[in-house]
Amino acid sequence: MENQNMFRIEDRVAKVALVFSYVLLLLGGLFGFLQVLSRAPGMPRLETPQLYYEGLTLHGVALAILWTAFFIVALAVFVITRELKINMNAPLLRGGCILAVGGSLAGAVAILTGQATVLYTFYPPLQASPLFFIALAVILIGTWLIGATVIEAVWRWKKLNPGKEVPLATYGVFTTIAIWLLATPPLAYAVIARSIPMSIFNAPVDVLEWRLWFWYFGHPLVYFWLVPAVTIWYTIFPRVLGTEVYSKTAAKAAFMLYLIASVPVGLHHQFVDPGVHPVYKYLHTVLTYLVAVPSFITAFNVIATLEKAGRMRGGKGLFGWITALPWGKDPVFTGITFAIILFGIAGFSGVVNASFNVNYNVHNTAWIVGHFHLTVGGGVTLTFIATSFLLVPLLFGRDYVGKKFLIAVPTLWFVGQLIFGISYHIVGLLHAPRRTYVAEAGYFNDPNLLNSLHLVGQWIPWLQLGAIGGVIFALGGALFLLLTFATIFRGPRIGLSGGELQISPTPGPATFFDKLGLLALIAIVIIVIAYSLPAVEIYSRGLSPAPPYWPSGAPAG
């Protein structure tokens, strides 16, 4: 209990962030459930077109940006305090949390009142209420304050422990926060200098300039999701199996590569954008393939760790270690393993997305929806769900209720995401669009058009199968939230604080990987090289601002 008293303020922030993340998962998931049914012909249409696009905006913002961010805040605070045994800067931490929560609530109000139907990418010249863009700016400032507390705590620990290596879980948390702090300043510029004046004064905005800085942030966001999941795979996952990660050195090498290569890759989202030289797009393609290397390292390291655990449990022969693992018995093991499988499948479609020529076939199709759901919805979210089975009792001092039902959560989530993801990849290859409310489209409601238009009729069974998958993993999500909220408020009391856990392998002496300042500097140099070239091209040509329009198509003002 001494640990709990020592980290009382930090735990309070972590609890608020964790509970708020679950509220966002509930809200975003609800609209996702409505959308997947409403998009499929023959399924119940539970949304009007207006509600569909409002819900799609909330679904993207709440889940792709906020649910993950708040869970990561809770995880980061827990890891830093328990692993480094050091307090964080309380005023900055609390201030950052208040701003992030307040900004999120304000943004939700703008979306739910129909003032910000601009999807989670909020591209100009689509217009929205100033409240929405101001809320985004406030959220960014809040996350910077929280990020500053993490960086300062790690730096202070390094000064107190010269010659010691940074523990592995802390190293993963540092990498995560560093990626966020490197990736978000251009987004802040786009929102504060461009989107807010557009929303208040109807100021025109150059769309290409804005998209350049948005996607500077947009793809690193993927690694902001992924690196905490990988941190869990390297640290908490082996502990669940009673072993340690196969190679701590390889794990730190993967984190290092994620840090230096995850930001300068955004132009592969702009392959179809005119006005950016193809050479710069190829450069970002190469860098995107580079950032796949740490994922391959992680795949080998995790599988080797699983084999080591299986051999320890008596697995014999070439594949006997697989059957020796606790499949269907341990919900944490099952959830994280299923998450790794889903992310591995998504990795193959990610290579397609990053390929300059092949990308043209899948850009803005349902393929992208399937890919996103297998990455953030599958690999990342399922990892966070499984980790919650450990984190909630440690933070709240309450044991999970309905433990016999926990194994159903990752099982339903995995099966549903697999069906949904594969279906949407296939219908994307048939050129079904993403985002569009296709169930209301004329070609689905006119038999003559449906039979004559190329490929459209073939979308129907895959959209319906995707809806079935969506319902299945929505049931898993609903069960998870029900059990988790019941545990937080009514679970039996237990005397755990997390202080008794050893999260990472025993640290040794410092190595090259612990030169965190040098690694961050290398990352900045690569970013400058990768983005100065397209930026100079856009600004030297001269901007061409476009007037804002409300999503209805009516001119703003």
Side-chain angles (χ1 to χ4, degrees):
M1 300 305 291
E2 179 182 349
N3 242 345
Q4 279 185 316
N5 293 330
M6 179 180 178
F7 303 124
R8 186 178 67 257
I9 295 174
E10 292 90 339
D11 280 1
R12 192 174 299 152
V13 170
K15 289 177 184 178
V16 169
L18 195 62
V19 170
F20 196 61
S21 77
Y22 296 144
V23 172
L24 291 163
L25 181 62
L26 172 63
L27 191 59
L30 172 63
F31 279 99
F33 172 76
L34 298 177
Q35 287 148 23
V36 74
L37 288 177
S38 298
R39 276 177 60 90
M43 296 287 185
R45 297 187 189 180
L46 303 177
E47 294 178 307
T48 63
Q50 179 178 349
L51 182 59
Y52 172 82
Y53 289 107
E54 289 176 9
L56 192 58
T57 302
L58 187 65
H59 179 72
V61 172
L63 298 186
I65 300 176
L66 298 178
W67 135 251
T68 50
F70 279 98
F71 187 93
I72 290 166
V73 167
L75 181 68
V77 171
F78 182 83
V79 167
I80 294 295
T81 52
R82 267 47 178 203
E83 190 156 73
L84 302 186
K85 304 293 190 295
I86 193 169
N87 286 107
M88 304 174 75
N89 186 305
L92 282 182
L93 190 62
R94 284 186 294 195
C97 187
I98 291 169
L99 288 175
V101 171
S104 300
L105 293 174
V109 169
I111 296 169
L112 290 172
T113 55
Q115 301 177 68
T117 310
V118 288
L119 309 185
Y120 103 95
T121 47
F122 49 95
Y123 293 146
L126 293 180
Q127 179 69 289
S129 163
L131 178 63
F132 176 75
F133 295 116
I134 292 171
L136 288 174
V138 170
I139 292 169
L140 286 173
I141 294 169
T143 61
W144 289 345
L145 295 180
I146 295 170
T149 65
V150 172
I151 300 297
E152 188 273 337
V154 174
W155 232 259
R156 184 156 34 95
W157 180 88
K158 282 176 65 66
K159 286 186 176 181
L160 294 172
N161 296 271
K164 289 186 179 180
E165 71 169 337
V166 177
L168 188 57
T170 298
Y171 200 95
V173 166
F174 173 86
T175 303
T176 302
I177 298 302
I179 290 172
W180 181 262
L181 294 177
L182 289 171
T184 47
L187 176 67
Y189 164 78
V191 170
I192 295 171
R194 299 303 187 200
S195 295
I196 290 178
M198 177 186 73
S199 64
I200 297 176
F201 306 112
N202 289 331
V205 178
D206 184 276
V207 175
L208 184 59
E209 179 212 21
W210 195 96
R211 284 170 62 90
L212 178 73
W213 300 128
F214 177 85
W215 284 116
Y216 175 112
F217 155 82
H219 199 80
L221 177 64
V222 172
Y223 298 101
F224 174 71
W225 306 328
L226 175 60
V227 171
V230 172
T231 302
I232 291 166
W233 301 348
Y234 281 150
T235 56
I236 296 174
F237 192 36
R239 296 291 177 193
V240 169
L241 294 169
T243 186
E244 291 189 352
V245 66
Y246 178 76
S247 173
K248 183 172 63 175
T249 301
K252 284 202 169 181
F255 285 137
M256 180 192 72
L257 289 171
Y258 280 129
L259 175 60
I260 67 176
S262 63
V263 176
V265 295
L267 284 185
H268 81 250
H269 286 266
Q270 296 181 261
F271 284 156
V272 300
D273 283 11
V276 179
H277 199 284
V279 169
Y280 308 148
K281 296 176 181 178
Y282 275 118
L283 172 61
H284 280 235
T285 298
V286 172
L287 291 170
T288 303
Y289 288 146
L290 174 62
V291 84
V293 173
S295 294
F296 283 117
I297 294 173
T298 298
F300 173 81
N301 210 356
V302 170
I303 292 172
T305 303
L306 287 171
E307 180 175 1
K308 183 170 71 167
R311 301 290 181 200
M312 289 171 53
R313 291 166 177 261
K316 305 294 183 183
L318 187 59
F319 298 112
W321 61 271
I322 298 176
T323 55
L325 295 169
W327 298 100
K329 300 174 183 176
D330 186 331
V332 179
F333 164 81
T334 303
I336 294 178
T337 306
F338 282 165
I340 293 168
I341 294 171
L342 290 173
F343 194 86
I345 296 170
F348 290 104
S349 61
V351 172
V352 171
N353 299 341
S355 301
F356 200 169
N357 51 350
V358 185
N359 178 276
Y360 287 103
N361 272 324
V362 299
H363 184 79
N364 261 345
T365 70
W367 169 286
I368 307 300
V369 181
H371 172 74
F372 266 129
H373 279 78
L374 289 181
T375 50
V376 66
V380 173
T381 293
L382 188 48
T383 297
F384 291 174
I385 285 173
T387 305
S388 296
F389 299 152
L390 298 174
L391 191 58
V392 167
L394 290 172
L395 271 177
F396 290 90
R398 293 182 180 271
D399 202 10
Y400 251 92
V401 300
K403 282 188 174 181
K404 64 182 179 180
F405 298 110
L406 290 184
I407 196 68
V409 172
T411 304
L412 289 168
W413 194 275
F414 174 75
V415 172
Q417 285 282 2
L418 196 61
I419 294 171
F420 176 89
I422 291 175
S423 300
Y424 267 62
H425 275 86
I426 292 173
V427 79
L429 290 175
L430 297 172
H431 304 299
R434 63 186 293 206
R435 301 190 175 108
T436 306
Y437 192 18
V438 292
E440 289 285 334
Y443 44 71
F444 270 139
N445 299 301
D446 185 333
N448 294 323
L449 286 175
L450 185 61
N451 294 327
S452 61
L453 289 176
H454 182 57
L455 297 180
V456 171
Q458 298 179 42
W459 299 352
I460 296 175
W462 295 111
L463 290 172
Q464 292 172 335
L465 187 60
I468 293 170
V471 170
I472 292 172
F473 77 78
L475 289 174
L479 180 60
F480 165 70
L481 291 169
L482 176 64
L483 295 175
T484 298
F485 282 123
T487 297
I488 290 172
F489 294 107
R490 305 289 294 180
R493 293 281 185 183
I494 52 177
L496 297 175
S497 70
E500 59 278 354
L501 294 180
Q502 182 182 351
I503 302 172
S504 296
T506 302
T511 66
F512 169 77
F513 297 117
D514 297 288
K515 298 181 183 295
L516 301 179
L518 175 61
L519 297 180
L521 179 61
I522 294 171
I524 292 170
V525 170
I526 296 175
I527 291 168
V528 169
I529 294 172
Y531 270 99
S532 60
L533 298 172
V536 167
E537 179 189 21
I538 290 172
Y539 289 118
S540 62
R541 185 193 307 123
L543 301 182
S544 300
Y549 280 82
W550 285 96
S552 65

